[in-house]
C-alpha cells in the first residue's frame, strides 16, 4: 500500500485526555505532527469538524470463522474468506485485529465434535500478510480449548516466528464459567445440534470426563506455550473470584467476557483489564444470560470492548460508553489505547507523534458513528 504525506485538517482530534480542533500530519506511515486550530493548509483534507481518532484495535473476533463457514457445514475457500473478513473489518474502522483461532479439538466425538483447523488457517493468514494484500494489520490469537482432546499437540505446531500475540484459556466444561447454567447450555445445544435429552445428558457427562482427565494438563500447556511464544495471556468467562485468582497466578493481562459482577470486581482488584463484548452493550445484555456490559460500565469495571461476533458493533459501542460516561476520550479508549496496552502494542492506539498512522475519520448521524475514511500506516483502505 502506498503511503503519502497528507494532512487531515479542521478536525476534532480525539487525544487521550481531550478533544482538540486541529490538524493531523501523516508521513511515511507515521504521525509526524499535531497542530491546533481550524485552519486548512494548502493541499490538506478539510474534515469540516469531523472526528479524527486512532484506528480501532480488535483483540478477539470470531468473524473469520463466519466467513470460512458461512452456513453450517458449508465450507468456503480460505483465501477469499480471509480477504472478505479483512475488507469488512477495514470498513468498520478496525485497523488492527487479532484473529481468534480455536486450538484444541474433539475429533472422536459424534455429536458436537469439531476438528483441527488453526495451524492451516494461520499459515494462510500469514502468507497473505507477507504478500502485502491485506488492508489492515493481522495478528494471531489462539483460543486454547482446555476441554478437548488435542490441545497440546496443536499448540506444539506454533513457533515464535508465527508472531502469536494472544493465547486465551477457554474452558467450556458444562457446569462452570459460561455454561454454569445448564439450562442455557441446553437451549444452545438443542438449537445448534438438535440434541435430545438423552444426548444432552451424555454430552455433559462426556465433557466432564474429558475435563477431569485432561483439563489441568491442558491449562499448564497453554500457559507454558504463551511463555514460549512471548504471547499475552487472557482468561475467558471468569465467573468467580477463585477463577480470577487462578488467572492472576498465570500472569493474565486481560479477562475476556467475565460472566459476573463478582469476577469483574476481582479482576480490577488484581490489576487485570476487563474486556466485554460490544454486542452485549448494544443489545442491552448478554445473549448467554451473563452480566451485562452496561452494568460493568456503570460500576467502572469495563476497560476494553471487543466486537466478538459483530465487527460493526465495535465503534457504536465505544460511543455508547462515551455517552454513558460523559467522556468521549475515555469511551473511545476502550477500542484504541486500552486494547493496545493489553496486547503490548506500543506503536498504535493513540494520536501521538511517532506512532503508526492508523487513523479513522467519522461523523455522527442521529447519534450513530458514520465513517468517512480509514487509513492504515498512512494508506487509505476504506
Amino acid at each position: 500500500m502506498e503511503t503519502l504525506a497528507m494532512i487531515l485538517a479542521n478536525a476534532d482530534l480525539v487525544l487521550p485526555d481531550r478533544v482538540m480542533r486541529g490538524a493531523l500530519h501523516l508521513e511515511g506511515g507515521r504521525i509526524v505532527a499535531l497542530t491546533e486550530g481550524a485552519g486548512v493548509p494548502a493541499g490538506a483534507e478539510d474534515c469540516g469538524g469531523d472526528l479524527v481518532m486512532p484506528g480501532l484495535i480488535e483483540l478477539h473476533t470470531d468473524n473469520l470463522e463466519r466467513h470460512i463457514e458461512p452456513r453450517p457445514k458449508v465450507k468456503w475457500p480460505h483465501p477469499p474468506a480471509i480477504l472478505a473478513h479483512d475488507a469488512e473489518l477495514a470498513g468498520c474502522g478496525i485497523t488492527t485485529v487479532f484473529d481468534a483461532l480455536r486450538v484444541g479439538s474433539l475429533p472422536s466425538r459424534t455429536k458436537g465434535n469439531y476438528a483441527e483447523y488453526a495451524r492451516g488457517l494461520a499459515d494462510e493468514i500469514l502468507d497473505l500478510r507477507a504478500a502485502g494484500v491485506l488492508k489492515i494489520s493481522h495478528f494471531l490469537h489462539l483460543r486454547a480449548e482446555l476441554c478437548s482432546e488435542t490441545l497440546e499437540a496443536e499448540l506444539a505446531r506454533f513457533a515464535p516466528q508465527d508472531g502469536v500475540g494472544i493465547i486465551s484459556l477457554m474452558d467450556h466444561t458444562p457446569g462452570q464459567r459460561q455454561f454454569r447454567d445448564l439450562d442455557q447450555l441446553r437451549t444452545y445445544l438443542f438449537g445448534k445440534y438438535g440434541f435430545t435429552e438423552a444426548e444432552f445428558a451424555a454430552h455433559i457427562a462426556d465433557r466432564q470426563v474429558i475435563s477431569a482427565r485432561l483439563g489441568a494438563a491442558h491449562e499448564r500447556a497453554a500457559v507454558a506455550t504463551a511463555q514460549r511464544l512471548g504471547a499475552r495471556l487472557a482468561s475467558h468467562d471468569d465467573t468467580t473470584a477463585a477463577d480470577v485468582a487462578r488467572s492472576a497466578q498465570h500472569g493474565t493481562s486481560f479477562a475476556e467476557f467475565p460472566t459476573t459482577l463478582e469476577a469483574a470486581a476481582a479482576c480490577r482488584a488484581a490489576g487485570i483489564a476487563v474486556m466485554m463484548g460490544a454486542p452485549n452493550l448494544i443489545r442491552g445484555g448478554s445473549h448467554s444470560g451473563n452480566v451485562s456490559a452496561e452494568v460493568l460500565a456503570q460500576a467502572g469495571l469495563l476497560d476494553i470492548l471487543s466486537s466478538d461476533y459483530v465487527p460493526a458493533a465495535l465503534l457504536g459501542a465505544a460511543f455508547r460508553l462515551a455517552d454513558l460516561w460523559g467522556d468521549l476520550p475515555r469511551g473511545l479508549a476502550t477500542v484504541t489505547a486500552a486494547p493496545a496496552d493489553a496486547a503490548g502494542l506500543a506503536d498504535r492506539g493513540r494520536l501521538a507523534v511517532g506512532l503508526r498512522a492508523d487513523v479513522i475519520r467519522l461523523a455522527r448521524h442521529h447519534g450513530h458513528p458514520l465513517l468517512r475514511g480509514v487509513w492504515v500506516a498512512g494508506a487509505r483502505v476504506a
Side-chain angles (χ1 to χ4, degrees), residues 32-123:
V32 296
L34 297 94
T35 55
E36 192 166 3
V40 182
E45 182 171 325
D46 185 352
C47 294
D50 284 350
L51 290 167
V52 170
M53 60 177 284
L56 311 185
I57 297 172
E58 172 57 68
L59 301 185
H60 176 124
T61 175
D62 303 333
N63 190 60
L64 178 54
E65 293 182 350
R66 179 175 64 83
H67 281 278
I68 65 176
E69 189 173 350
R71 289 189 176 181
K73 299 182 180 180
V74 174
K75 306 300 182 184
W76 206 253
H78 288 180
I82 296 166
L83 292 170
H85 161 67
D86 173 66
E88 180 182 1
L89 298 191
C92 294
I94 296 168
T95 56
T96 299
V97 63
F98 286 78
D99 292 313
L101 311 178
R102 173 187 48 77
V103 284
S105 307
L106 286 168
S108 72
R109 270 49 185 180
T110 54
K111 272 281 188 177
N113 68 324
Y114 41 89
E116 177 182 354
Y117 74 96
R119 178 67 264 181
L121 186 57
D123 286 338

Side-chain angles (χ1 to χ4, degrees), residues 317-337:
F319 273 96
R320 183 163 295 195
L321 283 181
D323 293 340
L324 177 68
W325 289 332
D327 187 335
L328 184 64
R330 180 186 175 193
L332 299 186
T334 62
V335 295
T336 56

Side-chain angles (χ1 to χ4, degrees), residues 90-322:
C92 294
I94 296 168
T95 56
T96 299
V97 63
F98 286 78
D99 292 313
L101 311 178
R102 173 187 48 77
V103 284
S105 307
L106 286 168
S108 72
R109 270 49 185 180
T110 54
K111 272 281 188 177
N113 68 324
Y114 41 89
E116 177 182 354
Y117 74 96
R119 178 67 264 181
L121 186 57
D123 286 338
E124 290 169 308
I125 294 169
L126 295 174
D127 286 347
L128 290 170
R129 189 176 75 180
V133 298
L134 298 175
K135 294 177 180 293
I136 71 172
S137 297
H138 287 255
F139 298 95
L140 301 181
H141 172 165
L142 301 183
R143 297 186 290 120
E145 182 52 70
L146 306 186
C147 186
S148 67
E149 298 172 300
T150 63
L151 179 59
E152 290 188 73
E154 290 190 43
L155 288 172
R157 297 187 179 102
F158 287 87
Q161 57 264 33
D162 293 316
V164 174
I166 298 169
I167 293 180
S168 55
L169 303 181
M170 316 273 289
D171 190 348
H172 290 112
T173 304
Q176 64 182 31
R177 296 184 181 260
Q178 183 181 0
F179 294 137
R180 180 169 63 168
D181 184 342
L182 293 180
D183 287 336
Q184 290 283 348
L185 179 59
R186 175 184 283 103
T187 300
Y188 172 75
L189 291 177
F190 277 52
K192 185 170 184 178
Y193 297 112
F195 272 43
T196 65
E197 282 293 345
E199 288 171 334
F200 178 65
H203 170 87
I204 292 174
D206 176 62
R207 296 303 190 267
Q208 289 176 343
V209 167
I210 292 174
S211 181
R213 181 166 59 90
L214 296 172
H218 283 173
E219 184 173 0
R220 290 191 297 271
V223 172
T225 300
Q227 295 171 344
R228 176 173 63 85
L229 300 181
R232 293 293 175 104
L233 197 64
S235 63
H236 192 84
D237 295 335
D238 288 332
T239 300
T240 66
D243 291 337
V244 176
R246 192 172 189 86
S247 298
Q249 289 176 348
H250 293 324
T252 295
S253 295
F254 63 99
E256 299 180 335
F257 321 126
T259 67
T260 63
L261 184 62
E262 172 194 351
C267 285
R268 175 56 47 80
I272 297 172
V274 172
M275 184 173 83
M276 292 295 285
N280 181 320
L281 190 65
I282 295 292
R283 295 177 64 253
S286 164
H287 74 278
S288 300
N290 298 319
V291 69
S292 78
E294 185 169 341
V295 165
L296 297 189
Q298 289 174 332
L301 296 173
L302 198 163
D303 303 299
I304 304 167
L305 285 172
S306 163
S307 69
D308 197 6
Y309 56 95
V310 184
L314 192 58
L315 188 56
F319 273 96
R320 183 163 295 195
L321 283 181

